[in-house]
Amino acid sequence: MTCVPKESLFENLSEIPLDPHYALKELFRADTHPKKVILGSGLYRDDNSEPWVLPTAEEVVKKTQDSGRYEYLPISGLAPFVSAARQVLFGPLGSKEARVVSLQTISGTGANFLGAKFLAETLKPSAVWLSDPSWVNHANIWGLAGVQVRRYPYWDATNKRLDFEHMIQRLETAAAPGDVVLLHACAHNPTGVDPTKDQWTRVADVCEKKGLFPFFDCAYQGFASGDLAEDAWAVRHFLGRDTLEMAVAQSFSKNMGLYGERVGALHLLCRTSMAADKAKGHLSRFQRGQISQPPTTGARLAATILADPELFQEWLLDLGEMSGRIRQMRRALHDELVAMGTPGRWDHVISQIGMFSYTGLTPEQVASIQENSHVYILKSGRISVAGLNTNNVKHVAEAIDAAVRTHPF
């Protein structure tokens, strides 16, 4: 007689809450208020609150509609894209090129996950060190890879700036040789606060001294400052020292507006070309087991833009337009708050860089803003500056002002 259990084998699973970013979207969708605003999503929008399709990308779409887009790619991805992505990130590699392994991935998330699984198996680090705070998915990814997640200080909430000395102190005293330290190449998510070039040099010094493995997440190159080389400065500095092996997760979701195409790459710099050849085999095994091979369309779009000199220059103009509008919105929000005499200091809104701003708003203030003004912000107080525009920035500033006066810091 067959024994049929009355309960599911999964009955005792713990409840996993919805990711806070997606939970916020659900609340926003359900709100019918005509002046509702969402400042949670990391998606660039134009001044009409619409997702902006880069003119360069639209032009390329018309040129790449052929049957080849349905073919399987190699496990490592589309070779022209992988090569061009590596060039944009590192600049000329010269003799180091044979020591760099690059694979196309499912955007930056896929690059982070592939790198984490590979390093967990090969380096077996005692921990990965994430900034406090960091992109919420970093801890999820490294936890799934089986690596202990530890934190180094980053955000000084009192002064609303980088807590650099405590960051260095923690890495110097608590990190163990072989540990991975995850670094945001530019436009730190969620704070919008980056180290200076002198500070980056000190971070590299600590990695050398302690034998730490640097893992960069580069999701905003060119999108942060509008300058590809400036936004890649930290990565290229670590590369130029020629003393460290490292990995870089690279995404083209933001800087090319290819959010749904999931275009990214993982790059691994090894000490020798022999080590790189071996590492490529292991990375390919992980890639094969996870996705077999990456998708074609987005990679072809990106490769076409990066390889064509005229399109590349048009893309740089697109980057300038996006980064410039975000800076304008930072200034507009700051100026509105200052004009109203909103309690607190707001200079950090314009000193931060990139898509996000850690406003310093408390959870109580955020809840008040959402309930009374229908402006949706993460509980951490992080806003996506790209969600601001000339039509809603005053409303957002008034919402912040009211909440701060009702619930003082």
Side-chain angles (χ1 to χ4, degrees):
M1 182 175 178
T2 304
C3 179
V4 180
K6 294 181 179 180
E7 293 185 349
S8 168
L9 296 173
F10 311 108
E11 201 78 37
N12 295 319
L13 287 176
S14 61
E15 295 282 348
I16 301 295
L18 185 65
D19 181 288
H21 298 78
Y22 291 93
L24 194 70
K25 287 181 182 178
E26 293 300 318
L27 291 171
F28 176 75
R29 288 193 186 102
D31 191 340
T32 59
H33 196 276
K35 295 186 72 174
K36 67 178 182 177
V37 178
I38 186 165
L39 301 177
S41 302
L43 182 132
Y44 179 84
R45 296 183 181 275
D46 61 21
D47 202 48
N48 296 310
S49 293
E50 296 295 330
W52 192 54
V53 180
L54 274 65
T56 310
E58 281 194 308
E59 183 176 345
V60 174
V61 167
K62 300 172 184 177
K63 298 181 178 181
T64 56
Q65 299 299 311
D66 59 68
S67 59
R69 68 185 184 276
Y70 298 119
E71 297 285 351
Y72 279 133
L73 290 178
I75 292 173
S76 58
L78 183 70
F81 163 72
V82 171
S83 177
R86 186 170 56 229
Q87 172 74 19
V88 164
L89 177 65
F90 293 114
L93 281 165
S95 61
K96 294 187 181 76
E97 183 147 10
R99 294 162 45 198
V100 177
V101 182
S102 300
L103 283 81
Q104 181 187 337
T105 59
I106 306 296
S107 200
T109 300
N112 273 277
F113 191 79
L114 180 61
K117 291 291 287 184
F118 169 75
L119 293 175
E121 180 177 282
T122 55
L123 293 188
K124 296 179 170 60
S126 66
V128 59
W129 291 85
L130 307 182
S131 60
D132 185 14
S134 190
W135 178 43
V136 66
N137 211 16
H138 281 148
N140 182 39
I141 288 168
W142 285 90
L144 290 171
V147 179
Q148 180 187 14
V149 174
R150 300 189 68 184
R151 300 280 182 169
Y152 57 83
Y154 196 86
W155 172 250
D156 178 349
T158 301
N159 298 298
K160 298 181 176 60
R161 65 187 182 190
L162 176 61
D163 192 4
F164 184 72
E165 292 304 326
H166 286 116
M167 169 186 174
I168 291 295
Q169 182 184 39
R170 179 68 56 81
L171 293 176
E172 285 182 330
T173 59
D179 282 356
V180 176
V181 56
L182 196 142
L183 304 163
H184 298 232
C186 64
H188 181 273
N189 179 6
T191 69
V193 177
D194 289 346
T196 65
K197 291 177 181 177
D198 285 343
Q199 289 171 336
W200 274 123
T201 301
R202 288 185 61 190
V203 174
D205 290 341
V206 172
C207 289
E208 286 181 1
K209 177 182 175 182
K210 294 285 295 185
L212 306 179
F213 187 91
F215 191 121
F216 282 96
D217 191 348
C218 185
Y220 303 98
Q221 186 185 3
F223 191 94
S225 69
D227 186 315
L228 293 171
E230 182 69 17
D231 292 345
W233 191 92
V235 171
R236 295 181 185 185
H237 174 76
F238 276 64
L239 172 75
R241 293 171 78 113
D242 208 20
T243 55
L244 295 162
E245 294 180 293
M246 66 176 181
V248 187
Q250 182 184 25
S251 170
F252 287 89
S253 292
K254 305 294 192 300
N255 59 15
M256 284 193 177
L258 299 175
Y259 301 98
E261 296 293 346
R262 316 307 293 145
V263 185
L266 175 69
H267 309 277
L268 179 72
L269 172 67
C270 301
R271 190 82 63 194
T272 65
S273 58
M274 180 182 295
D277 288 340
K278 292 180 177 179
K280 184 174 183 179
H282 285 263
L283 284 166
S284 297
R285 177 173 66 88
F286 280 118
Q287 180 100 308
R288 173 65 169 154
Q290 184 184 2
I291 62 169
S292 279
Q293 57 277 315
T296 305
T297 303
R300 295 184 67 197
L301 290 173
T304 302
I305 291 170
L306 296 174
D308 185 299
E310 185 175 335
L311 289 172
F312 186 83
Q313 290 303 314
E314 291 179 17
W315 177 52
L316 294 182
L317 294 176
D318 292 341
L319 289 173
E321 180 169 343
M322 289 189 290
S323 59
R325 197 187 79 79
I326 285 178
R327 284 193 295 272
Q328 290 171 3
M329 288 301 100
R330 285 185 179 278
R331 172 60 68 179
L333 178 61
H334 169 270
D335 290 353
E336 291 284 356
L337 293 170
V338 171
M340 288 185 291
T342 304
R345 291 179 52 202
W346 301 99
D347 289 350
H348 59 285
V349 174
I350 50 177
S351 65
Q352 294 164 354
I353 191 172
M355 180 175 281
F356 304 113
S357 172
Y358 231 43
T359 60
L361 293 169
T362 67
E364 293 76 17
Q365 291 164 348
V366 167
S368 175
I369 289 169
Q370 180 175 311
E371 180 180 356
N372 297 313
S373 303
H374 303 270
V375 176
Y376 290 79
I377 299 171
L378 292 171
K379 290 182 180 179
S380 63
R382 189 210 78 169
I383 66 170
S384 174
V385 184
L388 295 172
N389 58 56
T390 55
N391 299 311
N392 67 24
V393 67
K394 186 174 181 63
H395 172 62
V396 171
E398 290 172 343
I400 293 173
D401 182 80
V404 168
R405 294 182 189 278
T406 306
H407 304 277
F409 290 108

